[in-house]
Amino acid sequence: MTGHLLWGALDGSLWRQRVTALFSAGMDQPFVWSVLGTMLLIIGLWALQPGARRGGRIWGILACFAGLACCVRLLVPLTGPLPVVLTFRLTAALTLMAAVTTVVTKNPVYSAIWFALTLIGTSILMLLLGGQFVAVATVAVYAGAIVVTFLFVLMLAQSSGRAPYDRLTWGRIPAWWGAPAAALLFVMLCSGMYQESAARRQVDLRPDGTHDPAMYTSSGGTISAPGTVAERFPPHHVAKLGGTLFTRYLIPVQVVATLLLAALVGAVAIASYGPTVGGREQPL
Amino acid sequence: MIDFVSLCEHTMLVGAALFTLGMFGFMVRRNLIVMFLCVEMMLQGVSLTWVGAGAYHNQWDGQVMVILIIAVAACEAGLGLALVMMLYQRQGSLDIVAWQRTREEGRPAFVDHDIPEPVAADDISWPVLTPAGVAPEINQEERLHRSHV
């Protein structure tokens, strides 16, 4: 199977095969898409990083989304009723757009607000996959508490005006290798998913556009049967989530509870001042 | 009926993109708080991937993991922001480079080469409010009692 993509690109003999394939009639489509996607992502992220030329941001975002579209080509295309597909695509685009803006915007306050939008998009995506409780918890805990804490700290610690360090990256390694590292990591993750979905790509689709669950198994051995959210997650499924959480995962829950307590004590110890003796602050 | 498995895969792709963007931001940005936000974004990408993978295998474990991740993220945000506050009070700046004296011995110091000139758009001009209405009467007794307000 020709689905090893970048891992294969590191292998010399495979590389030679692919170069010959590029110039022959049968072009290795996934390889071409992944290389094109990597290039576009590198260019886009380079144009987006803080020290870059002014005015390059729109081109950077366009290049990033073009690279992402190339990587999406590696997966089995999303089929289904148009409203659902459209909802997914719009939400994904909104989430990624907000995420890009979080990273590249110069004002940290706007950064935090865009991050809140990213969280809302993420929770909508979780809702589409049937994760009702986690979607609500994400909005409540992340967007409701953590982002607000971020804004509080920004209010307390923000320097007046815009700081020059928000418009710069530092050193040669982040400036030159940040974008290629990120692009390669993303395409590598995509190629991992490609290998998973390549098995499904071989399988003929049923006439109604769905896959026959008996025709394929994923690598974990668990058959992932297609179906609607309602079929896969029957009513009262939040109760089932709670059941799993407090039976099979009881010990992790206890550990996390202890961790929360420890973090509370630690945060108080870090943030509060001890008694001052002779003008010097004493440890607590 | 939507192809649910494809939906899971595409959601995992979004999760991978969020993780990667968070990593990129962590490498590239210098503001401590924005770096912290980028770490949170990486966690969010992992959460999305967990939900996608859990739905893919039709298991609850993915969502349970997301709940645990949210709890750990809350801990991390509390501790991390307390640390950021402390660092800011010591240094007076959120710049990560201000802490470069903690680097390894013998390493050369990092010097900013091309500091951008402040552009006109960056000069924040605050709005000027014209006073309107009648000045309220100040209760002197209350001022005496609540001098710290």
Side-chain angles (χ1 to χ4, degrees):
Chain A
M1 196 172 66
T2 55
H4 296 287
L5 303 181
L6 284 174
W7 285 124
L10 298 175
D11 182 8
S13 59
L14 271 173
W15 177 259
R16 213 175 304 119
Q17 276 177 28
R18 299 202 197 281
V19 171
T20 46
L22 259 182
F23 292 104
S24 65
M27 206 160 36
D28 193 352
Q29 290 288 341
F31 178 68
V32 173
W33 283 124
S34 61
V35 169
L36 194 64
T38 315
M39 296 293 172
L40 283 168
L41 283 173
I42 290 175
I43 292 169
L45 290 178
W46 253 329
L48 281 174
Q49 68 183 0
R53 199 168 56 84
R54 284 177 75 84
R57 186 178 295 182
I58 185 76
W59 295 110
I61 288 179
L62 284 178
C64 277
F65 270 85
L68 187 72
C70 289
C71 294
V72 170
R73 291 293 295 257
L74 297 175
L75 300 182
V76 174
L78 195 59
T79 53
L82 189 65
V84 186
V85 175
L86 212 59
T87 307
F88 173 79
R89 293 237 163 99
L90 281 178
T91 315
L94 175 87
T95 310
L96 292 178
M97 186 81 185
V100 169
T101 321
T102 306
V103 170
V104 305
T105 193
K106 283 159 189 142
N107 192 336
V109 179
Y110 288 136
S111 212
I113 292 170
W114 281 107
F115 181 63
L117 191 62
T118 312
L119 292 173
I120 290 170
T122 317
S123 70
I124 294 174
L125 290 178
M126 286 174 177
L127 210 55
L128 278 177
L129 283 178
Q132 295 167 5
F133 179 77
V134 286
V136 173
T138 300
V139 171
V141 177
Y142 256 110
I146 295 181
V147 173
V148 172
T149 319
F150 268 101
L151 288 173
F152 264 115
V153 171
L154 273 171
M155 195 178 71
L156 291 171
Q158 176 71 331
S159 55
S160 60
R162 289 194 193 171
Y165 54 80
D166 274 330
R167 289 190 264 134
L168 279 175
T169 176
W170 55 282
R172 214 165 278 163
I173 293 173
W176 289 1
W177 296 109
L184 283 174
L185 175 67
F186 180 63
V187 177
M188 212 173 78
L189 292 171
C190 286
S191 71
M193 261 180 285
Y194 168 77
Q195 288 183 15
E196 191 75 11
S197 78
R200 297 203 298 121
R201 206 185 273 274
Q202 310 293 331
V203 178
D204 287 332
L205 292 176
R206 276 195 211 149
D208 60 345
T210 59
H211 293 280
D212 187 359
M215 294 287 278
Y216 60 87
T217 53
S218 68
S219 55
T222 321
I223 295 174
S224 183
T228 60
V229 176
E231 281 171 32
R232 292 165 65 87
F233 297 105
H236 312 302
H237 77 268
V238 175
K240 283 190 183 167
L241 176 63
T244 316
L245 185 64
F246 289 112
T247 52
R248 202 166 154 193
Y249 287 91
L250 186 61
I251 291 173
V253 167
Q254 301 294 331
V255 170
V256 164
T258 318
L259 180 70
L260 273 168
L261 181 67
L264 174 76
V265 174
V268 169
I270 290 170
S272 63
Y273 295 101
T276 314
V277 176
R280 285 193 68 112
E281 188 192 321
Q282 302 295 314
L284 269 180
Chain B
M1 190 173 78
I2 192 160
D3 183 1
F4 199 81
V5 180
S6 277
L7 187 66
C8 295
E9 281 175 358
H10 284 246
T11 309
M12 281 192 261
L13 195 88
V14 177
L18 280 181
F19 183 86
T20 315
L21 270 173
M23 191 197 80
F24 176 68
F26 189 81
M27 288 175 81
V28 158
R29 292 301 298 258
R30 274 167 60 171
N31 192 318
L32 276 173
I33 293 180
V34 178
M35 286 171 75
F36 209 79
L37 272 177
C38 289
V39 174
E40 297 282 336
M41 193 189 287
M42 287 170 83
L43 276 180
Q44 202 58 37
V46 174
S47 303
L48 203 52
T49 311
W50 269 118
V51 172
Y56 190 94
H57 291 294
N58 218 351
Q59 301 279 332
W60 295 106
D61 308 40
Q63 295 188 19
V64 170
M65 282 299 166
V66 174
I67 295 173
L68 299 185
I69 284 178
I70 289 175
V72 172
C75 296
E76 179 218 334
L79 277 177
L81 288 175
L83 271 173
V84 167
M85 277 307 295
M86 198 198 69
L87 295 178
Y88 177 75
Q89 281 164 359
R90 294 276 159 89
Q91 207 76 41
S93 163
L94 286 176
D95 193 353
I96 188 84
V97 175
W99 287 94
Q100 63 167 324
R101 63 190 161 82
T102 56
R103 69 185 180 277
E104 201 178 334
E105 204 177 338
R107 299 286 299 168
F110 171 75
V111 187
D112 262 333
H113 285 301
D114 39 5
I115 299 171
E117 293 173 14
V119 274
D122 284 0
D123 297 332
I124 298 170
S125 56
W126 298 106
V128 183
L129 299 178
T130 41
V134 187
E137 240 178 75
I138 297 165
N139 189 348
Q140 292 298 330
E141 200 176 325
E142 193 181 338
R143 269 180 93 182
L144 284 178
H145 285 306
R146 301 170 59 196
S147 55
H148 61 282
V149 175

